[in-house]
Amino acid sequence: GDKAFAQFLTDEIKEEKKIQKHKSLPKVSGGWELEVHGTEAKLVRKVAGGKITVTFNINNSIPPSVDEETQEEQKPDEQEPDLTSTPNFVVEVIKDDTKQTLVLDCHYPEDEIGTEGEEESDIFTIREVSFQPTGESDWKDTNYTLNTDSLDWALYDHLMDFLADRGVDNTFADELIELSTALEHQEYIKFLEDLKSFVKCQ
């Protein structure tokens, strides 16, 4: 059984490498520097008087397939639809002369992906906004968190513009999807390889 499993994994790894779009991770334009720790990625961009960091984790970042039925109708030789990783991401705006960091929790709404054509709509939304003490990794639940569901739309628009002025706009969000998808695929292949070694290990 293990032999067959290992053989299956070998074939699977070959297939996945064949369809791998990026041998190295795609760059995000606009002067962002990338740090990767396992499944977590961090993009850092220096701006006058501070810096912006964007953090995301590729785990659970691939939305579930929408229709189970359409998959069964697929002819066997049809290409599977490309999996796209659309992770939630956290933007931190850090200003040198304050002790607070503005933290914006953003995500890709599932119904927005793929509805291009409408120029005006943003491909990501801000879910929550809070201030957190700069430099502390543990954020406090006692800090007020603004949920954008009930937010005045004018204030929301200003927040989106505030992000766009700092390089977090639709172009960035598109490139983040591209980066995250490449990273997810890379980690998936690595997982298959680790699984193969594990299965073969006596």
Side-chain angles (χ1 to χ4, degrees):
D2 283 4
K3 266 204 185 105
F5 190 10
Q7 187 50 51
F8 167 78
L9 287 167
T10 305
D11 297 343
E12 194 70 6
I13 291 163
K14 258 194 221 123
E15 280 308 300
E16 290 297 334
K17 283 190 170 160
K18 220 184 282 172
I19 61 170
Q20 195 174 16
K21 277 193 200 144
H22 304 277
K23 293 291 172 248
S24 60
L25 294 174
K27 295 254 181 292
V28 177
S29 61
W32 294 90
E33 284 174 28
L34 175 66
E35 302 167 16
V36 180
H37 305 284
T39 58
E40 189 173 85
K42 184 182 201 171
L43 290 156
V44 182
R45 181 172 187 253
K46 296 199 168 25
V47 290
K51 65 176 179 174
I52 317 293
T53 69
V54 177
T55 318
F56 65 92
N57 194 317
I58 56 162
N59 280 337
N60 306 318
S61 66
I62 294 185
S65 308
V66 190
D67 282 337
E68 292 302 312
E69 291 160 27
T70 50
Q71 288 184 345
E72 286 166 24
E73 292 161 19
Q74 256 188 9
K75 298 179 184 63
D77 55 351
E78 275 180 31
Q79 231 0 86
E80 280 185 30
D82 283 347
L83 294 178
T84 305
S85 160
T86 50
N88 298 343
F89 59 97
V90 175
V91 182
E92 294 172 59
V93 181
I94 300 154
K95 292 196 173 184
D96 293 340
D97 46 6
T98 68
K99 296 199 169 39
Q100 289 184 311
T101 296
L102 183 65
V103 177
L104 302 101
D105 200 335
C106 303
H107 77 137
Y108 294 96
E110 272 160 42
D111 50 354
E112 289 295 322
I113 302 294
T115 53
E116 286 154 19
E118 296 159 35
E119 276 303 290
E120 284 306 294
S121 78
D122 290 296
I123 61 171
F124 71 96
T125 58
I126 302 170
R127 266 205 299 215
E128 290 182 345
V129 188
S130 68
F131 278 112
Q132 297 295 345
T134 301
E136 286 189 27
S137 52
D138 292 338
W139 289 341
K140 298 179 170 56
D141 289 339
T142 50
N143 287 8
Y144 178 75
T145 301
L146 175 69
N147 192 310
T148 56
D149 289 345
S150 51
L151 198 57
D152 177 339
W153 61 267
L155 175 51
Y156 181 82
D157 280 350
H158 277 297
L159 283 169
M160 287 298 276
D161 290 344
F162 179 80
L163 282 183
D165 289 344
R166 283 154 184 78
V168 180
D169 53 12
N170 276 347
T171 307
F172 172 85
D174 266 333
E175 292 181 357
L176 187 114
I177 290 177
E178 186 87 354
L179 169 63
S180 182
T181 302
L183 185 59
E184 204 285 332
H185 199 203
Q186 186 178 293
E187 285 294 318
Y188 176 60
I189 292 172
K190 191 169 153 301
F191 173 79
L192 293 178
E193 287 171 338
D194 290 347
L195 186 57
K196 186 177 94 174
S197 312
F198 188 84
V199 168
K200 285 171 87 168
C201 187
Q202 292 308 317

